[in-house]
Amino acid sequence: MLFNLQQILELADAKRIAIGAFNVNTLQGIQAVLEAAEELKQPVILQYAPVHGAFIDLDLLGPIMVELAEKAKVPVCVHLDHGEELSVLHQALEIGFTSVMYDGSMLSYEENVAYTRLAVEMAAEYGASVEAEIGAMGREEFASLGEAQEGEAISGSYTDPDQAEDFVDETGVDALACSFGTVHGLYLTEPCLDFERIKEIRDRIGIPVVMHGGSGISAEDFGRCIACGVRKINYYTYMAKAGGEYVKEMLSRTEGPAFFHDISVWGKEAMKEEVKKAIQIFSDL
Ligand code: 13P
């Protein structure tokens, strides 16, 4: 059943858990996420990032995401991740997405506010929610497209709690992606998270905090982030890696010809297991 982001995050707030937001760019990815959520009877967020247009177009995968989410036995929010143009937000909303992220984190603060406001107005016409971002989490969004820059390079761009409060007041967004030590993609060194910053931001903004770059964070750190107010956790790299590594192993054990239908099933099953592990941690199961 379809929920928008605000509705699904209310469920998370009531239980003091976080909801996993998994990026998909294949039918097998969608199946892996929905089957995992249904088996665990937990709400989930299915998301598509335009940077994955290199693998599949939003116009092709988006309607399938919406249709399968509608049929799911658990609450599912279908979300656009990192939309940098209002036109792609509009495209997702027309397809039936129930939530969109406007990512103006590379713009000036004033421009980010102005465009995010337009995104909020546009989404409201569809009954959809909006996530926005201030601060930066590394521009290399996904491991497959390059490794994340880390440490000192990003600590200068951690989200400022004062600015976060003003931003939420001025834009009316439903959730805010914040920078507090996570980065997209594979971590080269142990991540060191600023828990106090999350807590302060959450207290000041009064809406859910979103963590990007969930892959590579320990179960203990996830727990602390959730206790501080994180309610949505974006997770992709480890899911894709689990699928890819399992396919590699199965192919190395395969004698004779390899068939693509086997590869797609192996990939899906391994991604599903990884998604289940993540949901169990986020939901404290
Ligand atoms: P990871 O690929 O590092 O898990 O991050 C995903 C993400 O934040 C998508 O926006």
Side-chain angles (χ1 to χ4, degrees):
M1 62 203 87
L2 270 180
F3 276 51
N4 68 25
L5 190 65
Q6 192 208 343
Q7 293 163 338
I8 213 163
L9 294 183
E10 271 171 17
L11 302 178
D13 243 349
K15 292 201 208 153
R16 295 179 175 274
I17 60 167
I19 299 189
F22 302 93
N23 292 84
V24 293
N25 46 48
T26 56
L27 177 58
Q28 289 71 25
I30 301 174
Q31 291 172 312
V33 173
L34 295 180
E35 287 176 20
E38 286 186 336
E39 281 180 25
L40 295 171
K41 299 188 170 47
Q42 293 298 314
V44 78
I45 299 164
L46 205 51
Q47 61 186 16
Y48 174 92
V51 69
H52 283 173
F55 310 132
I56 191 163
D57 281 340
L58 172 59
D59 270 339
L60 185 54
L61 200 67
I64 304 173
M65 292 166 69
V66 173
E67 186 174 338
L68 295 183
E70 271 167 356
K71 289 187 182 144
K73 296 184 191 72
V74 291
V76 183
C77 168
V78 182
H79 175 79
L80 181 82
D81 189 28
H82 292 287
E84 295 183 4
E85 306 287 338
L86 290 176
S87 58
V88 71
L89 270 64
H90 185 253
Q91 192 186 349
L93 292 165
E94 279 291 310
I95 291 171
F97 278 38
T98 55
S99 177
V100 285
M101 174 184 187
Y102 176 70
D103 180 357
S105 61
M106 293 301 278
L107 304 174
S108 69
Y109 175 80
E110 290 73 21
E111 283 175 315
N112 193 359
V113 168
Y115 283 110
T116 303
R117 268 192 187 157
L118 292 175
V120 170
E121 267 172 38
M122 190 198 292
E125 288 172 30
Y126 296 82
S129 312
V130 176
E131 172 186 335
E133 172 175 335
I134 53 171
M137 284 160 285
R139 297 313 296 166
E140 299 296 352
E141 313 288 10
F142 301 98
S144 53
L145 304 178
E147 292 192 328
Q149 320 100 320
E150 305 201 9
E152 286 166 23
I154 67 149
S155 62
S157 55
Y158 281 3
T159 304
D160 171 43
D162 282 336
Q163 202 176 48
E165 187 177 358
D166 291 346
F167 185 85
V168 170
D169 284 348
E170 287 176 84
T171 58
V173 292
D174 301 288
L176 188 66
C178 296
S179 171
F180 48 83
T182 58
V183 290
H184 293 108
L186 295 173
Y187 289 87
L188 304 174
T189 54
E190 187 91 354
C192 176
L193 308 184
D194 188 343
F195 301 104
E196 276 310 307
R197 185 179 296 266
I198 305 173
K199 201 170 172 326
E200 193 184 344
I201 293 173
R202 170 67 214 223
D203 288 347
R204 303 272 291 271
I205 66 177
I207 58 167
V209 173
V210 179
M211 175 199 284
H212 281 240
S215 301
I217 301 298
S218 68
E220 193 195 336
D221 280 359
F222 277 132
R224 290 182 70 186
C225 290
I226 294 167
C228 291
V230 166
R231 293 287 174 260
K232 172 177 185 267
I233 299 179
N234 285 15
Y235 198 90
Y236 173 68
T237 301
Y238 272 25
M239 167 185 165
K241 185 161 153 284
E245 293 292 327
Y246 189 60
V247 166
K248 199 156 90 177
E249 185 192 322
M250 292 305 282
L251 283 176
S252 74
R253 285 200 236 150
T254 304
E255 286 175 18
F259 295 99
F260 188 73
H261 50 244
D262 290 324
I263 293 175
S264 77
V265 173
W266 294 331
K268 186 202 83 173
E269 286 302 321
M271 288 193 285
K272 177 173 158 185
E273 286 315 305
E274 181 65 27
V275 171
K276 279 176 84 172
K277 273 194 237 161
I279 293 178
Q280 279 166 330
I281 295 170
F282 304 160
S283 302
D284 197 20
L285 296 179

